[in-house]
Amino acid sequence: MQQVIKRSLSNWFVSWLKRRIPAGKEQSLSHSKIFILPSRFGVWFIALCGLLFVLGTNYQNNLMRLLCTFLLSLFLLHMLASYINFSRLRIKALKIEAVFAGKESAAPIMISFDGKMAQGVVHFSWWRSNLNDTGSAMLSDNPTFADVPFTLTNRGHATLPRLTIRSDYPLGLFKCWTHLDLDQHLIVYPAPVKCDIKMYELASEEEAVSKVTKGGFDDFHALREYSPSDPLSNVAWKQVAKTNEWLVKTFDQPVSSSGWLTWASASSQDTEQRLSQLTYQIIQLSEHNAIFGLALPDLTVPPGKGNTHMHKCLNALALYRLTDKTVHA
Amino acid sequence: MPKRISPIPFDRQNGARLMSYSPNVPLAKHKAGLLLSLVLAAISLSFFSPLMVWVVLLSVCAAVVRVSLFLGWYPQPPASRTVNLLAVLSLLALGWFSLSLGLLISMINLLVTACSLKLMVMRNQRDLLQLFLCILFLCGCGYIFEQGMLFVALYSAMVIVAFTALALQYASNQSYTYQLKMLGNMSLQAFPIAAVLFIIFPQLPPLWQMPSTQSASTGISDTMRPGDIASLSQSSELAFRARFEGKVPPPQDRYWRALVLEYFDGEEWTMSARRKAAEGQRKLQDRPFRPQVIGEALQYRVFAEASRQQWLFTLDVPVPGSPITSEKVWQSTSYTFIANQNLMSAMAYDVMSYPSTLLNQTNSRTDSYLNRQVPQDGNPRTREWAALLSQQYPDPKQRLNAVLDYFKQQNFSYTLNPPLMQSDGIDRFLFDAQTGFCAHYASATAFIMRLTGIPARVVAGYQGGEQLSNKVLSVYQYDAHAWIEVWFDEKGWQRIDPTAVVAPNRINFGLEQALEDSTEFLANEPLSLRRLQHLPFFSTLRDYLNQMDYLWSHWVLGFDQKQQQNLFKSLIGEITFERMVYLMVGAMLLISLLLAAYFVPRTLRPKKPKHLHCYQRAVGYVEKATNTQRNNEAPQHYLASVKNKMGKDAYTLFDLITRAFIRMEYAQGGLEKGNTSKMKHHLNRLKRTL
């Protein structure tokens, strides 16, 4: 029963929040968005005021009473100062390109100011989610940039939860906060898992020719002088024996290597694991500027190379055979 | 192995400033910690009377540790093991000393010790906040011990510096001066609100009895040894001030009674235990002594300094001058006022005194029984002389005059530094030294009267007072005095001042004039402004300071329920529930207005420049007429895009406005910026055309 009430209350709150603070990539903190309450320290502060009042009364000491009322009026002023400082913030979510599952990423945020610059530190956390990461930024530049860390575990589409932004400025007696939906949708690529790189040459679309190009980098290119940091395995021993000159073999980037990544490129039996292995291979191949295509059941990406191509492939892997389109973090 | 999995570097114009939030405070360059440690050290140094020396040293050490950490001389704070050991030792020492110190002083020692230890090991924000609250509380406690303006200024400064430390904790990138300015500004704004709150907050009587301190009491005490008043007379501290409604009584009538001493043990006079017991019984029955009064009244309000004693000061036969005063004070059968609790703070009370009322309303049997008591033996020469006197002068009045005449004839002198008279002190005073202070004269006279069977007692209090204005008297510790009261049948207790016979100047002009050797006056306070009185500059300065101090004790320290009610009455007339509600609402409104005055200007956004405003209005009309949204298009592009959608006249006008706007917006010198009258004219025409 309690659970039901709790859940319905929570649902009501979420929908209320949705109406009160609608989603937006850039939001200035107007009064409908700000929540303000005394902090725990503020409550202790008020308790101290009470203590001073009692002591002042018992000792009939007007100075103590005056100190008590002075502290109370500072408290009151602090509430307004804190609120006004917070209401100057203008939060803009910068674009998050894409992230990998299981890898700590960061949501870049730009904080600019309406009117005068705000002061203090703003703290970030993700509201009501299993994202436990927090971050904070000192407001020292106009605009100030901050990265709010987060880690998503599942590949696919994701929407970031509401971002809780809090400030205790100027004296920590009150905390101002808001839960902003910065409308950040992103695609989570599968987590890369290290494996061997296997590319296949597809003669035609239907049959896979069994020739395997093992992704290696053994195309001999040239010789150069040895330096102590070079691995001994690369030393051209023949040359050393002949001329007593230490030379090292260097290898060309495998520009020439090209082929297809298929379901068989990944050794694992589990689909997610396979996607992860493929992710690794795609990243590796792109780094070495290889030309490759992706040929999976239900999914084909024609061969290509470069950064754009990599993202295209990773995107395809991220969304591969996902039934529900959006996964909320 | 990929070197970098995330292939997407964020695009930023500025270097990102990211700091992971940690509640730990840094050790080096931690401004907040530095300020708090300085405040703690300053407070503990200013608490020289309540704090034990080693506690002060501990707090100074803690501050030094913090300063060294701040400067980076040490990379690490003291190990917590060391500090724990220190804490255990301090607790043991405090426990040992607390037996003799009393609760209040022990608590303050404990608090300062705890703060010092906390300061040494302060690691995170929580420690800092706890320390801050403790320091605020200590500043508050400072007001128990010191209420002078100077100390109040000191503690207020401490409070502001402590808040500055707090502000630096929450915005560590700001400088000290910036935060100090901000806090100073905030305090200035807070003060009027605090004053309003202070005035409307209820002035309650003490909720319960608080522990008080015995050690630091000032002023006359309830036992009188001959040397006591002499040492008190070395102090230029203020004892109390009195503000008279009518005329201030002349110097010879200013006998401020505080204590009546009825028991003599041969050396010192104390309050009679029987009197105390009887008083206690009356208190239990809640039956204060209310003398019948006749004649004209002197009406005055006394602002007593915090003496940590219960004795109050009144003239002649007093009755409480207001119902609030009668709640705060107890009137004893010795015609004195006693505060319901020790004066830990300055206190104001109202008195009506009746000089023409006789002091014969108490139980004469008890009074005469108590006041004929003499010790069994001692002072044999005085006893002999007393026996002789009672034979020679059967009339009590004549007997008394004989004693006073003896002082006169034998050339007794008045001095603050009489020779030591240890055993049989009165004998030695009367027959050998023949010099002494008021206490000697009072004690000897009362003793002789008692020996001859006439009830007599010693009254300790103050005599005189310096006129601050035509209504206000300041009475200092050096005005402390002792005289006697002798019971004559029918007339009751009569005031007799033997000192007046020897040194009439003491009564009429004060202590300084009375001393034959004026270097004796305030010999221990060479720098006292009172001593430098004869220099005009210091005299003016002292007058000015005294006036300020009087206003301070009148309006701040002495502000009580009565003054609060008077203030309310002057604001709303008669106090009724309904009017009080209005008053409270009014006060809240006043506070809200103050807050609005402080904060509304800050929330106002900067005004749009006029030319922009004009242009945007024009765009609004055009958008409506042509149904073409501008959407941040450059003005000239927008002008081109609407060219064919509106009439020629309108287009010409819009063209003019657009051009004027561009010219003003991008004008180099800004000469044309102000002049928007033409633009407005065009705008009005455009409005009509569309």
Side-chain angles (χ1 to χ4, degrees):
Chain A
M1 187 61 193
Q2 213 175 345
Q3 288 268 309
V4 174
I5 292 175
K6 221 172 177 181
R7 192 169 312 151
S8 66
L9 263 178
S10 144
N11 285 342
W12 172 82
F13 187 63
V14 169
S15 64
W16 177 80
L17 212 56
K18 213 170 198 171
R19 268 175 284 132
R20 190 158 177 95
I21 313 180
K25 289 238 185 295
E26 184 170 10
Q27 305 202 23
S28 58
L29 300 184
S30 57
H31 82 107
S32 64
K33 294 177 186 167
I34 300 178
F35 305 98
I36 181 166
L37 271 183
S39 62
R40 185 187 292 250
F41 174 54
V43 174
W44 279 109
F45 185 83
I46 289 296
L48 176 77
C49 289
L51 186 64
L52 281 176
F53 183 74
V54 169
L55 220 60
T57 301
N58 279 352
Y59 281 123
Q60 295 286 294
N61 190 319
N62 278 343
L63 293 174
M64 267 175 153
R65 281 189 266 216
L66 203 55
L67 181 65
C68 163
T69 57
F70 177 72
L71 294 185
L72 281 181
S73 31
L74 265 188
F75 189 74
L76 210 58
L77 283 174
H78 181 283
M79 179 176 74
L80 289 166
S82 173
Y83 176 88
I84 283 176
N85 184 63
F86 197 62
S87 69
R88 287 188 178 133
L89 294 182
R90 191 175 183 86
I91 309 290
K92 185 179 182 184
L94 303 178
K95 194 167 163 45
I96 308 174
E97 296 285 343
V99 300
F100 289 91
K103 162 90 178 141
E104 189 182 282
S105 325
I109 292 219
M110 185 177 91
I111 306 166
S112 52
F113 307 100
D114 290 330
K116 237 177 104 183
M117 202 177 135
Q119 307 282 345
V121 180
V122 281
H123 304 285
F124 302 100
S125 58
W126 301 102
W127 185 62
R128 282 206 185 167
S129 76
N130 44 8
L131 298 179
N132 295 321
D133 312 82
T134 55
S136 60
M138 173 76 75
L139 299 176
S140 47
D141 300 309
N142 188 3
T144 298
F145 292 92
D147 287 344
V148 189
F150 65 92
T151 310
L152 296 172
T153 46
N154 296 327
R155 70 185 172 93
H157 284 289
T159 303
L160 287 183
R162 280 178 182 267
L163 183 63
T164 301
I165 302 170
R166 176 174 67 87
S167 167
D168 300 328
Y169 185 84
L171 300 173
L173 298 174
F174 277 88
K175 55 173 184 182
C176 287
W177 77 97
T178 181
H179 305 297
L180 291 185
D181 184 353
L182 290 171
D183 201 19
Q184 276 172 311
H185 304 284
L186 53 131
I187 287 175
V188 186
Y189 298 159
V193 167
K194 203 180 171 192
C195 62
D196 289 336
I197 294 167
K198 282 183 196 160
M199 279 203 291
Y200 296 88
E201 283 183 3
L202 293 184
S204 67
E205 300 241 337
E206 291 86 34
E207 70 184 297
V209 179
S210 60
K211 191 201 169 191
V212 177
T213 1
K214 183 98 169 15
F217 312 111
D218 43 12
D219 293 340
F220 173 73
H221 176 59
L223 288 171
R224 62 168 174 79
E225 271 188 41
Y226 174 78
S227 75
S229 63
D230 287 324
L232 282 178
S233 61
N234 287 0
V235 172
W237 295 111
K238 280 183 190 168
Q239 303 292 319
V240 178
K242 260 189 221 164
T243 62
N244 213 12
E245 233 180 77
W246 282 62
L247 294 175
V248 183
K249 291 181 274 190
T250 57
F251 299 94
D252 199 5
Q253 297 282 328
V255 189
S256 55
S257 71
S258 65
W260 293 82
L261 290 172
T262 69
W263 212 228
S265 300
S267 54
S268 175
Q269 295 305 308
D270 178 48
T271 311
E272 291 302 315
Q273 197 65 18
R274 273 189 161 157
L275 289 172
S276 288
Q277 291 182 339
L278 285 174
T279 305
Y280 176 76
Q281 297 188 25
I282 289 169
I283 296 164
Q284 283 296 66
L285 290 172
S286 294
E287 281 211 344
H288 292 100
N289 223 8
I291 297 170
F292 63 94
L294 200 56
L296 302 184
D298 307 340
L299 170 72
T300 310
V301 180
K305 67 172 192 173
N307 218 8
T308 332
H309 177 65
M310 178 189 77
H311 281 297
K312 201 168 158 192
C313 294
L314 290 178
N315 220 334
L317 285 188
L319 304 179
Y320 184 66
R321 282 187 175 164
L322 276 185
T323 41
D324 52 337
K325 278 288 184 182
T326 306
V327 181
H328 281 278
Chain B
M1 186 57 195
K3 271 166 277 166
R4 204 185 138 82
I5 286 191
S6 166
I8 309 122
F10 301 124
D11 179 49
R12 290 199 200 104
Q13 295 99 352
N14 275 339
R17 292 228 182 175
L18 187 75
M19 92 182 184
S20 68
Y21 174 69
S22 94
N24 286 350
V25 299
L27 293 167
K29 306 280 171 232
H30 184 226
K31 297 175 185 169
L34 180 74
L35 280 190
L36 278 189
S37 57
L38 293 181
V39 170
L40 182 66
I43 287 177
S44 67
L45 284 174
S46 78
F47 277 21
F48 42 80
S49 69
L51 285 189
M52 288 181 278
V53 176
W54 64 268
V55 176
V56 177
L57 283 180
L58 189 66
S59 70
V60 172
C61 282
V64 169
V65 165
R66 212 68 219 182
V67 171
S68 318
L69 287 172
F70 178 84
L71 295 172
W73 293 347
Y74 291 103
Q76 281 293 319
S80 42
R81 189 178 288 230
T82 319
V83 176
N84 285 345
L85 183 66
L86 209 54
V88 170
L89 293 177
S90 310
L91 274 182
L92 285 177
L94 276 176
W96 172 255
F97 285 116
S98 67
L99 297 174
S100 59
L101 283 178
L103 189 58
L104 177 69
I105 301 278
S106 302
M107 286 312 291
I108 285 175
N109 275 295
L110 179 66
L111 204 57
V112 173
T113 311
C115 280
S116 311
L117 295 174
K118 190 65 154 177
L119 186 63
M120 282 190 202
V121 290
M122 184 171 69
R123 281 170 209 279
N124 51 38
Q125 181 159 306
R126 214 174 117 213
D127 288 348
L128 185 122
L129 297 182
Q130 287 171 355
L131 191 65
F132 171 80
L133 289 178
C134 281
I135 284 180
L136 271 195
F137 185 73
L138 278 177
C139 285
C141 288
Y143 296 136
I144 299 179
F145 301 104
E146 303 288 348
Q147 290 155 27
M149 272 188 295
L150 208 64
F151 275 95
V152 170
L154 175 74
Y155 291 134
S156 310
M158 291 296 145
V159 169
I160 290 176
V161 175
F163 270 110
T164 309
L166 192 61
L168 280 167
Q169 174 65 21
Y170 283 99
S172 53
N173 57 336
Q174 301 290 0
S175 66
Y176 294 107
T177 42
Y178 175 88
Q179 296 289 24
L180 200 60
K181 248 191 222 163
M182 183 188 87
L183 258 300
N185 202 2
M186 224 167 149
S187 308
L188 281 183
Q189 292 178 340
F191 196 75
I193 300 177
V196 174
L197 282 178
F198 175 69
I199 288 168
I200 62 167
F201 256 39
Q203 287 273 350
L204 302 173
L207 305 174
W208 63 83
Q209 192 79 33
M210 293 301 283
S212 58
T213 57
Q214 281 93 39
S215 56
S217 62
T218 57
I220 49 178
S221 64
D222 58 351
T223 57
M224 187 190 74
R225 273 184 222 87
D228 285 353
I229 289 188
S231 68
L232 201 53
S233 297
Q234 298 286 5
S235 162
S236 65
E237 238 177 86
L238 184 75
F240 61 94
R241 285 204 178 87
R243 186 180 194 279
F244 288 85
E245 285 309 316
K247 211 166 56 149
V248 176
Q252 65 271 18
D253 290 343
R254 296 177 197 156
Y255 278 90
W256 301 94
R257 302 169 85 253
L259 272 165
V260 176
L261 308 171
E262 294 176 301
Y263 181 81
F264 185 53
D265 70 350
E267 294 214 7
E268 60 186 31
W269 291 83
T270 49
M271 288 176 80
S272 146
R274 291 228 6 211
R275 176 76 73 187
K276 272 189 189 165
E279 215 58 58
Q281 198 148 17
R282 289 185 84 106
K283 237 180 202 176
L284 273 183
Q285 295 162 352
D286 195 25
R287 208 155 49 82
F289 176 61
R290 290 274 182 264
Q292 297 295 315
V293 288
I294 49 162
E296 224 174 293
L298 282 166
Q299 200 179 341
Y300 54 97
R301 184 174 171 82
V302 179
F303 303 91
E305 295 284 294
S307 62
R308 299 173 220 305
Q309 312 245 34
Q310 286 183 289
W311 333 122
L312 301 177
F313 321 101
T314 51
L315 295 167
D316 304 299
V317 177
V319 289
S322 67
I324 286 146
T325 298
S326 55
E327 274 169 33
K328 285 197 286 197
V329 306
W330 172 260
Q331 186 161 24
S332 75
T333 45
S334 313
Y335 305 90
T336 56
F337 280 2
I338 297 171
N340 284 338
Q341 62 173 359
N342 285 5
L343 266 67
M344 298 301 289
S345 322
M347 173 181 159
Y349 54 92
D350 298 289
V351 196
M352 306 269 271
S353 279
Y354 295 85
S356 41
T357 302
L358 294 173
L359 283 73
N360 61 357
Q361 303 180 27
T362 45
N363 187 337
S364 60
R365 272 190 32 211
T366 321
D367 278 12
S368 63
Y369 171 77
L370 283 178
N371 289 297
R372 279 195 306 241
Q373 169 270 336
V374 284
Q376 290 292 323
D377 43 19
N379 296 309
R381 283 193 278 172
T382 313
R383 282 171 197 267
E384 246 171 66
W385 187 44
L388 198 70
L389 279 176
S390 41
Q391 278 176 11
Q392 275 180 333
Y393 305 99
D395 179 39
K397 275 215 170 128
Q398 284 178 352
R399 222 177 291 161
L400 175 66
N401 285 335
V403 175
L404 298 180
D405 285 344
Y406 175 75
F407 290 145
K408 222 183 281 176
Q409 288 153 11
Q410 296 284 320
N411 257 335
F412 273 68
S413 66
Y414 182 70
T415 173
L416 283 176
N417 300 315
L420 269 182
M421 297 172 259
Q422 280 196 329
S423 55
D424 295 334
I426 293 183
D427 273 7
R428 284 167 191 244
F429 165 67
L430 282 177
F431 306 109
D432 303 334
Q434 304 208 326
T435 178
F437 197 58
C438 57
H440 294 99
Y441 292 97
S443 169
T445 317
F447 182 53
I448 295 167
M449 288 295 109
R450 283 185 173 194
L451 284 174
T452 61
I454 304 167
R457 61 189 186 184
V458 171
V459 182
Y462 295 87
Q463 198 284 322
E466 189 182 345
Q467 202 142 359
L468 183 66
S469 67
N470 58 357
K471 283 188 171 178
V472 181
L473 276 184
S474 305
V475 178
Y476 295 90
Q477 294 299 352
Y478 57 71
D479 290 316
H481 193 51
W483 60 94
I484 65 169
E485 282 175 348
V486 183
W487 180 278
F488 296 112
D489 292 329
E490 288 164 22
K491 282 201 164 179
W493 292 109
Q494 294 261 295
R495 180 176 69 220
I496 309 292
D497 188 356
T499 315
V501 180
V502 184
N505 282 349
R506 167 68 184 85
I507 308 310
N508 294 320
F509 304 108
L511 180 66
E512 196 183 12
Q513 303 299 320
L515 290 170
E516 284 158 20
D517 177 7
S518 68
T519 53
E520 274 183 16
F521 182 63
L522 297 179
N524 298 336
E525 295 185 12
L527 289 178
S528 153
L529 282 177
R530 177 68 182 82
R531 263 199 107 189
L532 302 171
Q533 184 83 336
H534 54 279
L535 300 171
F537 170 73
F538 288 107
S539 158
T540 325
L541 181 66
R542 181 166 174 266
D543 268 358
Y544 186 66
L545 289 178
N546 278 344
Q547 291 285 359
M548 279 213 332
D549 198 53
Y550 166 68
L551 290 178
W552 177 249
S553 40
H554 186 278
W555 286 108
V556 181
L557 301 182
F559 186 82
D560 63 356
Q561 220 179 340
K562 187 193 167 204
Q563 248 170 316
Q564 192 177 34
Q565 282 178 7
N566 283 347
L567 197 67
F568 287 172
K569 268 183 202 156
S570 66
L571 285 174
I572 55 172
E574 206 186 332
I575 296 176
T576 60
F577 178 74
E578 200 181 330
R579 285 182 181 182
M580 282 304 285
V581 170
Y582 286 141
L583 185 73
M584 294 298 143
V585 171
M588 292 303 137
L589 270 179
L590 183 61
I591 290 174
S592 318
L593 272 178
L594 278 170
L595 288 176
Y598 298 151
F599 285 101
V600 167
R602 285 202 222 171
T603 56
L604 293 178
R605 301 272 153 82
K607 254 172 123 181
K608 266 188 220 168
K610 275 183 190 165
H611 64 282
L612 179 63
H613 180 72
C614 259
Y615 177 68
Q616 282 177 342
R617 271 181 65 192
V619 169
Y621 298 136
V622 175
E623 275 178 347
K624 226 185 228 170
T626 61
N627 236 341
T628 316
Q629 296 295 316
R630 182 178 155 231
N631 293 336
N632 285 331
E633 241 180 299
Q636 260 166 338
H637 287 171
Y638 184 65
L639 182 70
S641 68
V642 294
K643 186 173 182 181
N644 299 324
K645 296 179 184 168
M646 56 205 282
K648 208 182 168 206
D649 285 352
Y651 174 75
T652 319
L653 285 168
F654 189 53
D655 179 46
L656 280 170
I657 292 171
T658 306
R659 272 196 230 166
F661 169 71
I662 292 170
R663 205 170 54 239
M664 287 186 197
E665 183 69 16
Y666 304 106
Q668 289 291 313
L671 278 172
E672 288 175 274
K673 273 200 177 171
N675 188 8
T676 51
S677 55
K678 249 190 192 164
M679 227 171 142
K680 267 187 196 150
H681 176 67
H682 293 319
L683 179 70
N684 287 336
R685 277 181 60 195
L686 179 70
K687 190 178 168 187
R688 263 176 274 135
T689 333
L690 289 172

